[in-house]
Amino acid sequence: MKKRLVALLLAGVTALSMAACGSSGSGSSSGGSGRGETAGGQGAESSAEDMKIAMITDSGDITDQSFNQTTYETCKAWAETNGADFNYYKPEGDSNEARNASVDQAVADGANVVIMPGYMFAATIVAQSDIYPDVKFIALDVGSGNICEKGVGEGYDYAHPEQYSAADYYNTDNVYCCTYQEELSGYMAGYAAVKLGYRHLGFLGGMSVPAVTRFGYGYVQGADKAAEELGVSGDVEIEYVCGGQFYGDADITAYMDTWYGSKDVEVVFACGGGIFTSAVEAAAKTDGKVIGVDSDQKPIIDAAKEGMTVTSAMKGLATTVNNILTDIAAGSWSNYVGKIDNLGLVSENPEENYVQLPLEGTQWGDGFTEDDYRALVKAMYNGEIKVSNDITAMPAVAIKVNDYGSIK
């Protein structure tokens, strides 16, 4: 609460300084980017024509074939279809200060809806939501733990997060946050891989943050379930490691070379920003396979070598953005504001869910057809198949899992 009081005291000063000059940042627009009064606090009715949407990139850019690109393309398409203004802003550096400056610039340019993809924006929510109470902030993949960690700062007790309340550290009157049930799409990917005949699997995570771990542990559970159904639990093995970073490099590629080349790993689920590039580079040398993450990554994976993509464990970023923007235009922001949702399965129909596999970007086969996938989703939605989201320890499974910790 103290941090919120300090932010409120600073808000007036910041607002006055912003009237004089905007903070530095870069932007590109679709539709006009006129300046205007911000409008969009809770209870304010809106329409598409009144919406001035800004999307801020995190540490990547709009060609990352992941969070930023999916969010950018969805916002741009929605704005063009509905007659709204849209700009995107790429911070000048990978820092909280740079991301905050991009928000300042977006608001100075008239933005009244600001969309931020990725957990890195927790600090921005803490710092900026009180300063701009009339702006609607949408933070994708930002959870209460992320907000509390940044709100508390030094001294945050990672062992006892339950002692904190996220509402003490940001303005709940103008922010919507959501996370995704990554363990569910991770489960689908692991299940599909084993059903499609792969027996030696790998998981390459980025940093071992909760979202990456949920993907990985879900993947392990899905592979284990498929192996049990096929009666091949003793034949399925998973190599498991995190890179310690969200980008590929020569060291991680060399590590993947060992998996594909010496260990005879057949397919690797590469999960964590740009780290997939190392898995792709190594797989291309040995006719190995790769499972993508967050969005349908088949176009970028198969660009290295045709046919390398098995599937992608996706988060429904496009579904989330489309639904929220449509509801804001309809005056239904109150359905979202103040909430921190954990999005997952909402339907037996895979396309309607917030976690899924791509229908076009999956290598269907006799062992796992599109109909099999639909049956799997139905069983998960109905509760016939339960997936644990516990990340305190590797799931207890019958298949063999070799956990190597972190490369760096």
Side-chain angles (χ1 to χ4, degrees):
M1 186 63 71
K2 291 180 180 178
K3 287 184 178 287
R4 285 205 60 199
L5 290 173
V6 171
L8 286 168
L9 290 172
L10 292 174
V13 176
T14 303
L16 288 172
S17 65
M18 288 300 297
C21 62
S23 298
S24 62
S26 61
S28 175
S29 67
S30 171
S33 60
R35 294 176 179 270
E37 295 180 355
T38 58
Q42 185 175 0
E45 292 188 5
S46 186
S47 68
E49 291 78 10
D50 298 326
M51 292 167 63
K52 298 183 183 296
I53 304 163
M55 175 244 172
I56 316 294
T57 62
D58 59 2
S59 61
D61 56 38
I62 60 169
T63 61
D64 66 357
Q65 287 289 330
S66 189
F67 258 52
N68 290 299
Q69 183 167 349
T70 300
T71 305
Y72 166 77
E73 290 177 350
T74 305
C75 289
K76 183 174 184 291
W78 191 93
E80 289 175 347
T81 299
N82 293 278
D85 281 356
F86 170 64
N87 284 265
Y88 85 91
Y89 297 80
K90 181 178 179 179
E92 293 184 348
D94 180 13
S95 68
N96 295 329
E97 292 75 16
R99 284 182 278 273
N100 293 346
S102 287
V103 171
D104 291 337
Q105 185 64 59
V107 176
D109 289 344
N112 52 29
V113 178
V114 176
I115 300 179
M116 301 169 291
Y119 76 94
M120 292 180 180
F121 284 103
T124 299
I125 288 297
V126 170
Q128 303 286 84
S129 59
D130 273 316
I131 295 174
Y132 302 116
D134 292 327
V135 175
K136 298 178 176 72
F137 288 100
I138 300 164
L140 306 174
D141 220 32
V142 174
S144 59
N146 305 125
I147 292 171
C148 290
E149 178 187 1
K150 297 304 179 182
V152 174
E154 186 176 353
Y156 178 72
D157 186 352
Y158 290 89
H160 300 94
E162 69 281 353
Q163 67 184 296
Y164 306 105
S165 172
D168 290 341
Y169 303 103
Y170 78 108
N171 186 359
T172 58
D173 291 336
N174 66 333
V175 177
Y176 171 72
C177 298
C178 68
T179 56
Y180 296 88
Q181 295 172 34
E182 295 93 354
E183 68 276 4
L184 299 183
S185 54
Y187 183 100
M188 296 171 191
Y191 185 93
V194 173
K195 285 286 187 174
L196 286 168
Y198 299 103
R199 297 293 179 262
H200 200 171
L201 284 60
F203 176 82
L204 172 64
M207 296 177 69
S208 56
V209 297
V212 170
T213 305
R214 284 192 293 269
F215 266 127
Y217 287 5
Y219 180 66
V220 169
Q221 293 176 71
D224 182 65
K225 180 63 174 179
E228 175 192 327
E229 292 179 357
L230 294 172
V232 295
S233 296
D235 300 326
V236 175
E237 184 174 1
I238 297 181
E239 313 292 344
Y240 193 105
V241 76
C242 283
Q245 60 192 39
F246 286 119
Y247 56 91
D249 63 15
D251 293 335
I252 295 174
T253 299
Y255 202 98
M256 292 295 101
D257 284 337
T258 300
W259 275 14
Y260 283 110
S262 302
K263 292 181 178 292
D264 295 324
V265 169
E266 300 165 281
V267 56
V268 172
F269 177 18
C271 170
I275 203 165
F276 77 94
T277 58
S278 282
V280 169
E281 185 177 345
K285 302 171 187 175
T286 62
D287 292 326
K289 305 295 183 183
V290 177
I291 293 172
V293 74
D294 291 338
S295 60
D296 182 1
Q297 291 192 311
K298 180 178 179 179
I300 194 168
I301 293 173
D302 278 12
K305 192 169 187 178
E306 188 67 28
M308 282 209 307
T309 311
V310 173
T311 189
S312 296
M314 301 197 306
K315 296 180 181 181
L317 293 168
T319 301
T320 309
V321 171
N322 276 321
N323 288 348
I324 296 173
L325 292 180
T326 298
D327 282 349
I328 288 175
S332 299
W333 173 236
S334 60
N335 292 340
Y336 299 91
V337 68
K339 295 181 179 180
I340 302 178
D341 284 333
N342 185 219
L343 303 175
L345 301 179
V346 296
S347 171
E348 294 181 356
N349 183 359
E351 301 95 322
E352 297 175 2
N353 291 319
Y354 292 99
V355 286
Q356 56 184 265
L357 303 181
L359 295 180
E360 294 185 4
T362 297
Q363 288 185 0
W364 308 112
D366 292 339
F368 190 66
T369 65
E370 184 178 327
D371 287 342
D372 293 330
Y373 167 56
R374 292 184 178 279
L376 173 65
V377 172
K378 181 177 181 179
M380 293 173 70
Y381 175 72
N382 291 335
E384 298 169 35
I385 294 176
K386 299 185 182 299
V387 183
S388 173
N389 64 357
D390 182 7
I391 58 173
T392 57
M394 180 69 70
V397 292
I399 62 175
K400 184 177 181 181
V401 181
N402 303 310
D403 186 354
Y404 300 103
S406 185
I407 297 173
K408 297 186 177 183

